[in-house]
Amino acid sequence: MSLAATSIQDPGRLRLLLKRLGESGRLWRLRVVLIAAMHLTAVYVLASVEYGPFANTVALLTWALLNFMWLIVLRRPGIAAALSLALVVILITLSQFKYGITQLTLTFLDFLIIDRDTFSFLHSIFPQLKSQAIVFAAVGVPVMWLIWRADPFRIRRKVSASGAAACVALIAALSVAYPEQPWEPFQGVNHISNLARSGVVSVSHLTSTGWIEADPPNLIGSAQATPLAQCEPGKKRPNIVMVLDESSFDISAAPGIKVPENYRDFFKSGDGRQRSFVAESAGGPTWYTEFNVLTGLSARSFGALKFYVTRIAAGKISRGLPQALERCGYRTFSLYPTYGDFLSARSFQTSAGIGNFIDMAGMGVSEDMQPDRFYFDQALQLIAREKKAEQPMFMFVYLTANHFPWTTSYRPDLTPAGWTAPGNTPEVDEYIRRQAMTVADYTSFVERLKADHPDEPFLLVRFGDHQPAISQKLIEPKLPQAKLADRIMTHDPRYYKTYYAIEALNYKPDMSSALETLDAAYLPIAIQEAARIPLDPTFAEQKKIMLRCRGAFYACKDGAEVRRFNRLLIDAGFVKNL
């Protein structure tokens, strides 16, 4: 029956039909407005964290990609926009949270190598996180269901797939044309665009070199694990205390800096000589150096993935300083200053040979920045509790008091008696004051060792894990920012040198491998030689590189020595699944 016929026979029915059509039209327009509002909200959210035309373009392409991906599965644009908006907000929140802890925004690898430690660390910091997630789900799921039910529109999957492919192609092309610079994720902005670009960088790295740089197998051939050298039984060996001195270096290397009298004495070894330690991070990740000194390998071998080196390496590397010491009867301990799940530190260190891993919870504290004397007291208690005449100890002790920032006075009550500020900027003087606190606490620790264990041999090794961030504006104060960035990106040694010092109690160390300048990855060799531990074949081969390259490791021959050495370790079975 035609509409005209209906109007003649039943005018009331026609009015009802027209009313329904009008209501349907208004409802349709309302749904369009709501979907548009979600897209506009997303644009506003992205604009609030993205800076510059390039970053905003990549972020908008990422937003479109998320929508197309949801549309491939669900076909409904309303629910696709709602889920994409929720995901973007969550990603930005997580990125800002991560930046607050690690000074690095969220990257593609955070999802590629996600593990149980990540969730454990989050739960340690935010024990209420689980209940909040439940509440969020309880509210969010019904809302998403209502949007699903109310969405009348359908998009063909073929169209959505084409849109997603176009977005991926454009993001990849832009990322290749304007490659992500290593310093960009450390700026704390551009959370979504950096995340998208890091995916291109990570995929490119993994497809071209794998997780770790190494020569191709056919250049060297297959190798078998070589029998390890045996330790002389019954020989008395020194207990070893290895101290990571947070952000410490000889700041008098910077021009115009005033330091107290005898300031440089702390950086000298027992033989009176001052030595340089070349780290692989500049004012940044301690865990690069942690990886260096435990495995004897280079974090730079992981290229763009090196920020995740401890997570990547956990359970995959079976050579290093702790394993070498265990072979000679040592019991190994680590006093780790934060939660052990941070960047899979516990998993990494235990798989690297640390037999007893004690994090801040195990030390009975809830804050990870304690005075240096706290960690030295923990070490003294551990030695008294665990010392056995027939088994020497190896202990890895972290210090944290000299961690940034230096714009506030940390524990002024612990300032050494007679301390006077040298007269630099307040920030530099605060840095030097904290170094003076470290000197006082370390001196007290050594005196306690002498008093409590008058006949026990000890080998004491200290090193600065990296320079403080403030050194970058002190070493060449008139250098333009662009040239400074180039210095750091090209690993200019002036910005990576700290110090290492070796001394002993009731023992004369062998200092033959303690070179004047030593890359961080060689410290395990210097320690083993100082303790007169016979080097296993892997360290013996690495010592040849050390002598051949005069203390340089990754920088030697543009990484060729490291790539060859990594291949030897892989073929011998000491590095697996990398």
Side-chain angles (χ1 to χ4, degrees):
M1 183 180 295
S2 67
L3 183 60
T6 301
S7 65
I8 295 172
Q9 296 179 12
D10 192 352
R13 186 176 178 184
L14 175 61
R15 287 193 296 271
L16 180 60
L17 178 58
L18 292 174
K19 181 179 179 182
R20 288 177 177 176
L21 287 174
E23 290 174 349
S24 177
R26 287 193 294 273
L27 186 58
W28 187 90
R29 288 192 295 273
L30 177 61
R31 287 166 175 170
V32 171
V33 169
L34 290 175
I35 293 173
M38 286 189 281
H39 284 281
L40 290 174
T41 301
V43 171
Y44 172 79
V45 170
L46 291 173
S48 67
V49 297
E50 302 287 332
Y51 293 86
F54 177 79
N56 276 283
T57 300
V58 174
L60 289 173
L61 285 170
T62 305
W63 165 252
L65 175 61
L66 290 174
N67 276 271
F68 283 128
M69 291 176 69
W70 285 118
L71 284 170
I72 292 172
V73 179
L74 304 173
R75 296 189 60 203
R76 292 167 166 81
I79 190 65
L83 289 171
S84 297
L85 179 59
L87 185 57
V88 163
V89 171
I90 290 171
L91 288 174
I92 292 172
T93 302
L94 287 174
S95 186
Q96 291 172 334
F97 165 73
K98 180 189 173 187
Y99 181 79
I101 296 176
T102 66
Q103 304 303 298
L104 179 79
T105 55
L106 208 62
T107 72
F108 178 75
L109 285 176
D110 285 303
F111 302 97
L112 186 62
I113 56 175
I114 197 165
D115 49 33
R116 186 177 63 181
D117 287 340
T118 303
F119 294 105
S120 297
F121 180 68
L122 286 173
H123 186 262
S124 298
I125 297 178
F126 297 112
Q128 73 278 18
L129 186 62
K130 185 176 180 180
S131 58
Q132 290 178 346
I134 293 173
V135 171
F136 179 79
V139 174
V141 170
V143 170
M144 293 298 175
W145 182 83
L146 288 173
I147 296 174
W148 165 277
R149 292 287 296 173
D151 191 347
F153 308 107
R154 303 292 183 268
I155 306 296
R156 295 174 61 186
R157 288 190 171 93
K158 185 180 293 186
V159 173
S160 301
S162 299
C167 289
V168 169
L170 287 170
I171 292 171
L174 289 171
S175 299
V176 170
Y178 302 94
E180 182 185 52
Q181 299 301 311
W183 46 266
E184 287 187 84
F186 295 90
Q187 291 186 308
V189 296
N190 299 336
H191 297 276
I192 297 301
S193 59
N194 281 348
L195 175 59
R197 293 167 73 200
S198 72
V200 177
V201 172
S202 300
V203 171
S204 174
H205 180 92
L206 289 172
T207 53
S208 60
T209 65
W211 291 102
I212 187 172
E213 296 175 5
D215 282 344
N218 60 351
L219 294 185
I220 296 177
S222 180
Q224 300 296 322
T226 307
L228 299 178
Q230 296 299 312
C231 284
E232 183 181 341
K235 186 173 183 178
K236 182 73 171 178
R237 301 188 184 280
N239 299 292
I240 301 172
V241 181
M242 184 172 72
V243 179
L244 186 151
D245 192 1
E246 171 64 41
S247 300
S248 190
F249 86 122
D250 181 356
I251 200 170
S252 67
I257 299 297
K258 303 171 186 177
V259 296
E261 187 179 0
N262 303 322
Y263 168 82
R264 302 187 70 190
D265 289 350
F266 179 69
F267 305 106
K268 296 178 180 178
S269 293
D271 59 5
R273 295 165 63 181
Q274 186 168 340
R275 294 173 169 85
S276 296
F277 179 89
V278 184
E280 293 191 323
S281 65
T286 293
W287 51 96
Y288 293 4
T289 311
E290 175 188 328
F291 176 80
N292 296 149
V293 300
L294 288 179
T295 66
L297 301 179
S298 171
R300 293 175 67 185
S301 296
F302 293 80
L305 315 182
K306 64 181 178 291
F307 190 86
Y308 300 88
V309 63
T310 52
R311 294 175 64 186
I312 294 169
K316 298 180 177 65
I317 297 176
S318 58
R319 70 85 74 164
L321 179 61
Q323 290 98 331
L325 296 176
E326 279 186 328
R327 179 173 50 84
C328 285
Y330 279 81
R331 289 169 301 131
T332 54
F333 301 83
S334 178
L335 293 173
Y336 192 70
T338 189
Y339 290 112
D341 298 319
F342 176 65
L343 291 174
S344 299
R346 179 185 288 104
S347 300
F348 163 65
Q349 292 200 19
T350 53
S351 68
I354 293 295
N356 301 272
F357 182 91
I358 305 168
D359 67 358
M360 75 177 190
M363 288 183 274
V365 292
S366 57
E367 294 184 3
D368 57 4
M369 191 167 172
Q370 299 292 330
D372 294 342
R373 64 177 59 181
F374 171 82
Y375 298 107
F376 286 130
D377 286 345
Q378 289 288 322
L380 289 168
Q381 294 169 23
L382 187 60
I383 293 169
R385 185 171 67 247
E386 299 288 344
K387 183 173 70 70
K388 296 179 182 178
E390 71 281 4
Q391 269 191 303
M393 299 175 65
F394 166 76
M395 190 180 307
F396 189 7
V397 180
Y398 292 72
L399 306 182
T400 64
N402 212 5
H403 196 279
F404 77 91
W406 298 277
T407 51
T408 58
S409 181
Y410 174 74
R411 293 296 300 269
D413 57 304
L414 299 180
T415 303
W419 160 261
T420 302
N424 305 289
T425 65
E427 193 175 25
V428 171
D429 281 348
E430 169 64 12
Y431 175 81
I432 297 173
R433 183 187 72 87
R434 294 193 204 177
Q435 286 186 311
M437 291 165 55
T438 300
V439 172
D441 291 346
Y442 176 72
T443 301
S444 177
F445 169 69
V446 173
E447 293 303 316
R448 285 281 306 276
L449 282 180
K450 292 178 180 177
D452 296 347
H453 310 281
D455 302 318
E456 279 291 311
F458 284 91
L459 181 68
L460 307 175
V461 182
R462 294 176 281 115
F463 61 90
D465 61 329
H466 54 70
Q467 291 185 14
I470 57 174
S471 72
Q472 296 176 12
K473 57 187 178 184
L474 299 175
I475 293 176
E476 295 178 282
K478 297 181 180 180
L479 193 69
Q481 189 66 30
K483 289 188 176 181
L484 172 61
D486 182 67
R487 295 266 204 279
I488 294 172
M489 291 303 106
T490 56
H491 284 261
D492 187 316
R494 287 172 292 182
Y495 294 88
Y496 289 85
K497 281 186 179 180
T498 62
Y499 83 100
Y500 79 103
I502 299 175
E503 51 197 319
L505 303 177
N506 305 314
Y507 177 76
K508 183 174 177 58
D510 177 357
M511 301 290 284
S512 59
S513 289
L515 305 185
E516 291 300 309
T517 299
L518 199 68
D519 268 19
Y522 290 129
L523 188 64
I525 295 175
I527 290 175
Q528 291 178 77
E529 298 264 85
R532 293 184 168 81
I533 303 293
L535 299 180
D536 68 34
T538 70
F539 280 114
E541 176 63 27
Q542 191 176 9
K543 182 180 177 181
K544 295 177 184 177
I545 302 173
M546 180 184 79
L547 297 176
R548 193 161 57 238
C549 296
R550 299 180 181 180
F553 193 41
Y554 191 91
C556 185
K557 299 180 182 178
D558 293 324
E561 289 281 10
V562 168
R563 289 190 292 272
R564 182 187 69 86
F565 185 63
N566 287 345
R567 172 49 56 188
L568 289 173
L569 293 177
I570 292 169
D571 289 345
F574 292 107
V575 175
K576 298 179 179 179
N577 303 320
L578 289 179

